Amino acid sequence: MTAEIIFSSNKLGIIHDGQLQSMLDKFNLGKLISSKKTEIGAMGQTMFVSSTKGDFVFKGNPLYTGQLVEEKFFVENLHKRTNVTVPIPYIIDDSEQIFGWSYSLMPRLQGEHLKANLNLDDNYKIAESIAKTLFEFHTWKVNEFGELNTEKFNIIPFKDTYTQWLFNRIKFWLEDAKKYSEITEKDFEWVETLMEESKEALNNLSSPTFVMGDFKPGNFLIYLGDSGWEISGVFDFTNSYFADPISDLIKMITYYLDNNERKIAKHLVNVYCRELEKKEDLKKRIKVHMLHQRVLDWGCAKAMNMVTWDNELPFSKWVEAYTDSTASLLE
């Protein structure tokens, strides 16, 4: 299920202190001190809870069957396989007795979200830490492209090939975006051309890895340690699956490009890719991954009337600026 695109969520609703105390009592986690819903992250599913025994993140009212079990699997495996800090232990209560739905409870990680007012050296350091974190995630290699089966904990392969799955997904969301915006025949032709140009490079990819699927500023924390800023924790693995690892770079590249920090984006890509070969294949793959993300972003922004760019700009021209800029980071 993690490979599905989810634009809406089941909100927590009204949570009473008595319910939170019952939860804490169930796991012997002390007396409730305070609680507040998080401002960002997890699509309205999370809340900070502080007790006499610590600070926690409460996550409830799952989006789909198996969401919490799936996230627990990824958290526990990443904890065992990497040195990246993740929210462990990840506790699940699926009894539904307290809130009417299952929930998870995990420790609140140290640090803060990425800020826009850091100096150039600090930004370089953080970009380097991001690259190293993702590279560590991607050491978890598997034999098949697909998503997790939360009953048997094996991989459900994508239908057809990974390449075809990715292309079908792009075309589906492009058709969906057409409901809310003008997508011309020229736009469709441009998309088909870009996909065709990347097809061989994607088909040549034979080493799928764990992919977080949503690595962005809202899902990791930074901390100023003795050696400078570093990633202090990563969370929210609702969109994780097994595929092309470089797709995990896209949201941070977009973040840096949108904030006129091309040099930081290039440093991120260079650090991540410096030991990788076949740069021309990487360029083609990263372009189609950027196209994939931008199709989703375009359709969402148009549907919600939240466009932050020239609203008259044709789709293909808007996306091409990103795909070309992203590919040039590898030069």
Side-chain angles (χ1 to χ4, degrees):
M1 181 62 200
T2 44
E4 296 296 322
I5 303 297
I6 301 169
F7 287 120
S8 61
S9 71
N10 305 325
K11 307 296 183 182
L12 289 179
I14 298 174
I15 303 294
H16 300 287
D17 286 353
Q19 292 173 298
L20 295 176
Q21 187 59 60
S22 294
M23 173 184 70
L24 294 171
D25 290 342
K26 184 166 189 173
F27 297 103
N28 192 28
L29 292 174
K31 298 301 179 183
L32 180 67
I33 296 174
S34 65
S35 67
K36 67 173 182 177
K37 291 182 180 178
T38 56
E39 295 179 4
I40 59 175
M43 302 176 73
Q45 288 185 291
T46 54
M47 172 182 281
F48 293 135
V49 177
S50 293
S51 81
T52 53
K53 289 197 175 181
D55 297 319
F56 306 93
V57 175
F58 164 75
K59 186 172 187 175
N61 205 0
L63 304 174
Y64 54 88
T65 302
Q67 179 193 357
L68 303 179
V69 172
E70 187 171 52
E71 187 165 40
K72 179 182 174 72
F73 173 86
F74 287 125
V75 166
E76 291 181 344
N77 268 273
L78 291 169
H79 178 67
K80 288 187 293 186
R81 296 167 181 270
T82 75
N83 292 315
V84 179
T85 300
V86 292
I88 198 91
Y90 190 103
I91 300 169
I92 294 178
D93 179 8
D94 56 9
S95 68
E96 302 186 1
Q97 291 178 348
I98 299 175
F99 302 101
W101 28 253
S102 59
Y103 64 89
S104 63
L105 196 64
M106 64 201 91
R108 185 173 178 179
L109 301 179
Q110 179 186 41
E112 57 188 275
H113 290 289
L114 182 60
K115 301 178 291 188
N117 60 347
L118 296 173
N119 63 44
L120 189 62
D121 288 342
D122 287 339
N123 274 319
Y124 273 122
K125 177 69 175 174
I126 292 167
E128 189 170 320
S129 186
I130 289 170
K132 291 178 178 178
T133 297
L134 288 175
F135 206 89
E136 238 186 296
F137 277 172
H138 301 153
T139 59
W140 181 2
K141 299 183 185 300
V142 295
N143 295 320
E144 294 182 285
F145 295 90
E147 55 190 322
L148 182 69
N149 179 335
T150 55
E151 295 180 358
K152 298 181 179 179
F153 295 102
N154 59 356
I155 298 174
I156 304 171
F158 294 130
K159 293 181 180 179
D160 301 316
T161 64
Y162 169 58
T163 304
Q164 196 57 54
W165 171 85
L166 181 60
F167 289 178
N168 286 343
R169 186 150 136 145
I170 289 170
K171 288 186 281 189
F172 174 86
W173 289 109
L174 188 61
E175 285 287 353
D176 186 74
K178 193 176 179 181
K179 301 173 186 175
Y180 313 103
S181 63
E182 182 179 6
I183 305 290
T184 67
E185 190 61 35
K186 185 177 180 180
D187 293 325
F188 278 100
E189 291 172 359
W190 181 86
V191 167
E192 288 288 348
T193 299
L194 190 148
M195 291 193 299
E196 186 61 34
E197 289 172 349
S198 71
K199 188 174 183 178
E200 184 177 359
L202 284 165
N203 285 339
N204 289 338
L205 182 62
S206 59
S207 300
T209 73
F210 166 81
V211 171
M212 182 179 177
D214 198 20
F215 195 94
K216 61 185 181 183
N219 288 340
F220 67 87
L221 299 172
I222 57 173
Y223 175 75
L224 184 58
D226 295 336
S227 58
W229 288 98
E230 58 189 37
I231 304 297
S232 58
V234 185
F235 49 90
D236 196 354
F237 299 94
T238 295
N239 295 106
S240 301
Y241 54 106
F242 300 94
D244 184 356
I246 64 169
S247 62
D248 261 344
L249 298 173
I250 295 300
K251 289 192 176 182
M252 288 311 303
I253 290 173
T254 303
Y255 170 82
Y256 287 128
L257 292 179
D258 283 348
N259 284 283
N260 298 312
E261 295 178 322
R262 178 182 167 78
K263 290 182 179 179
I264 310 302
K266 186 170 180 62
H267 187 61
L268 167 66
V269 171
N270 286 346
V271 172
Y272 181 89
C273 296
R274 62 188 170 195
E275 296 180 15
L276 302 181
E277 299 177 354
K278 298 184 178 180
K279 289 294 192 293
E280 288 306 311
D281 274 8
L282 286 175
K283 284 183 183 180
K284 293 173 182 177
R285 283 159 49 198
I286 208 165
K287 284 178 75 172
V288 82
H289 290 309
M290 178 57 78
L291 165 63
H292 176 214
Q293 184 59 49
R294 296 278 77 182
V295 168
L296 295 170
D297 295 340
W298 171 283
C300 184
K302 291 286 186 175
M304 299 177 68
N305 197 27
M306 295 178 65
V307 174
T308 57
W309 58 88
D310 179 0
N311 206 24
E312 300 303 315
L313 198 63
F315 171 78
S316 55
K317 290 296 181 183
W318 179 73
V319 179
E320 189 173 31
Y322 284 95
T323 55
D324 286 353
S325 292
T326 301
S328 69
L329 298 175
L330 282 157
E331 295 173 354

